[in-house]
Amino acid sequence: MPLPLFVVALLLFLPPAFAGAVSATLHALTRMTEAVTGLNYEGTFVYEHAGALETMRIVHQADSDGEREHLVSLDGDRREVVRDRDDAVCILGDAKPLLLSRLESRSAFPGRPRGDIDLLQGHYSIEQGDMARVAGREARALVIRPQDDLRYGYRLWLDEATRLPLRSELVNADGEVLERVVFTEIKVLDSADPAQAKAILARKAWARDVIGHVPAQQPVESARRWQVTDLPPGFELIDYRTFPAAKGRGGVDHLVFSDGLATVSVYVEPVSDERPLNGVHQSGAVSTFALVRDTYQVVVVGDVPMATAHTIGNTVRPLAEPGR
């Protein structure tokens, strides 16, 4: 992806050693994204968040037709996500499988950037750290520090051979680790395993049969109706969709913002007859802020500090009078 113009200018005028360091870190992030989406791999990782530990198994395949992925929990009740390109299903124990939207169906690989990494410049500093061994492989640390208190910091350990993130940590301003993902073993394959591909497609087909081949909820054609008037610096709107809601109610507007690493979702819908949501909830790195604006329910969810969720939620405004 092209570098922002000011980054190109910076590289032209900085001393060669510093310019090389900036280029190397950006290149490392770009290669990481390419590795996560373009390589064939399978492995087991431990996910630590909100005081809980979960062990997960992931199989990822990539070929000319796109990506396929199978994520399975190995602890507690069985949970799965099966993805074939943009088509994905979620299986929760004995409950009926759920279809996921296009945004929800993106790869679950831990440490994967959720937005455009070009947005990082000016809001994060990035530097390479020491070498370490993770899952029996040599990995280079990459330290991403926020330049304000509106976002979290990240520490990534990238496999020297493939640039896959073998370990990732999300930290707050005090250096406290809010989320940690560590691979205990990972295998990178030269090509997709046909048996694994068959198993993924068979699992998806079974889930589709149970669901009844109902298409995933698709956005409806609608002009943008909502905006955030005081968006924190560095965040940009990367997706806006309106989904049909329950009978007799208006649609649900879904706005997605990102600064290249963090992602914030804003949901706006008419207040239901049930008790509306008001208040905050923190679970590990994920902040949730809910409020009622006029006759609309606003819910903000993202891997950002609560102050950032507050700023976004409190400045959600209609672009025009809703309903007209």
Side-chain angles (χ1 to χ4, degrees):
M1 64 185 66
L3 293 175
L5 183 60
F6 77 90
V7 178
V8 175
L10 195 63
L11 295 178
L12 289 175
F13 292 102
L14 283 175
F18 188 81
V22 173
S23 177
T25 53
L26 287 174
H27 183 60
L29 284 174
T30 301
R31 284 195 59 194
M32 178 183 73
T33 302
E34 293 171 348
V36 169
T37 58
L39 294 181
N40 295 282
Y41 48 84
E42 56 185 78
T44 303
F45 62 88
V46 177
Y47 176 38
E48 179 183 354
H49 65 109
L53 284 174
E54 297 182 69
T55 308
M56 314 289 290
R57 179 76 181 171
I58 188 170
V59 174
H60 180 273
Q61 299 187 334
D63 55 27
S64 58
D65 293 329
E67 297 178 71
R68 289 179 298 274
E69 195 169 74
H70 191 192
L71 184 70
V72 185
S73 66
L74 303 181
D75 304 322
D77 295 335
R78 186 177 179 89
R79 287 156 294 148
E80 302 176 58
V81 174
V82 183
R83 184 169 68 97
D84 179 26
R85 288 163 289 187
D86 285 338
D87 190 19
V89 293
C90 179
I91 305 167
L92 303 174
D94 296 328
K96 186 175 181 179
L98 302 172
L99 288 172
L100 301 180
S101 69
R102 184 184 67 84
L103 283 173
E104 294 170 322
S105 70
R106 291 176 179 175
S107 174
F109 193 93
R112 176 176 182 167
R114 299 176 177 89
D116 185 348
I117 62 174
D118 288 346
L119 298 177
L120 303 182
Q121 294 298 314
H123 304 287
Y124 294 93
S125 63
I126 310 171
E127 62 185 46
Q128 294 195 46
D130 297 331
M131 295 292 297
R133 279 180 60 79
V134 183
R137 302 173 69 95
E138 294 296 322
R140 170 76 67 179
L142 196 66
V143 182
I144 305 174
R145 295 187 176 92
Q147 296 186 357
D148 54 38
D149 57 0
L150 299 174
R151 60 208 92 222
Y152 295 130
Y154 300 80
R155 294 194 289 257
L156 306 172
W157 283 262
L158 308 184
D159 181 30
E160 274 286 274
T162 65
R163 287 300 185 265
L164 287 171
L166 302 179
R167 174 173 176 162
S168 62
E169 295 178 348
L170 193 153
V171 298
N172 63 16
D174 297 324
E176 177 187 4
V177 177
L178 302 177
E179 289 185 357
R180 179 184 286 115
V181 175
V182 184
F183 272 88
T184 57
E185 61 92 12
I186 190 168
K187 182 188 300 183
V188 181
L189 308 173
D190 292 332
S191 59
D193 182 342
Q196 290 278 17
K198 184 177 180 180
I200 292 173
L201 294 176
R203 191 63 172 158
K204 189 194 77 170
W206 170 84
R208 279 286 195 170
D209 285 340
V210 174
I211 294 169
H213 295 283
V214 177
Q217 187 183 46
Q218 298 297 325
V220 297
E221 291 294 331
S222 175
R224 282 179 53 190
R225 301 183 294 183
W226 297 90
Q227 63 180 327
V228 174
T229 58
D230 188 16
L231 198 60
F235 283 87
E236 292 185 1
L237 180 70
I238 62 171
D239 201 88
Y240 189 111
R241 292 166 185 265
T242 301
F243 293 89
K247 185 177 180 180
R249 297 176 57 195
V252 179
D253 289 72
H254 182 198
L255 298 77
V256 183
F257 301 93
S258 177
D259 68 353
L261 283 177
T263 301
V264 180
S265 282
V266 178
Y267 300 91
V268 185
E269 63 178 319
V271 174
S272 69
D273 295 333
E274 301 175 1
R275 185 176 179 179
L277 300 175
N278 276 290
V280 301
H281 178 69
Q282 189 82 42
S283 178
V286 179
S287 298
T288 303
F289 173 47
L291 72 156
V292 174
R293 178 168 300 284
D294 298 325
T295 59
Y296 285 83
Q297 174 78 70
V298 177
V299 178
V300 181
V301 182
D303 50 346
V304 292
M306 187 61 73
T308 304
H310 265 271
T311 297
I312 292 174
N314 284 325
T315 59
V316 172
R317 298 288 187 274
L319 277 168
E321 190 67 25
R324 288 187 180 177

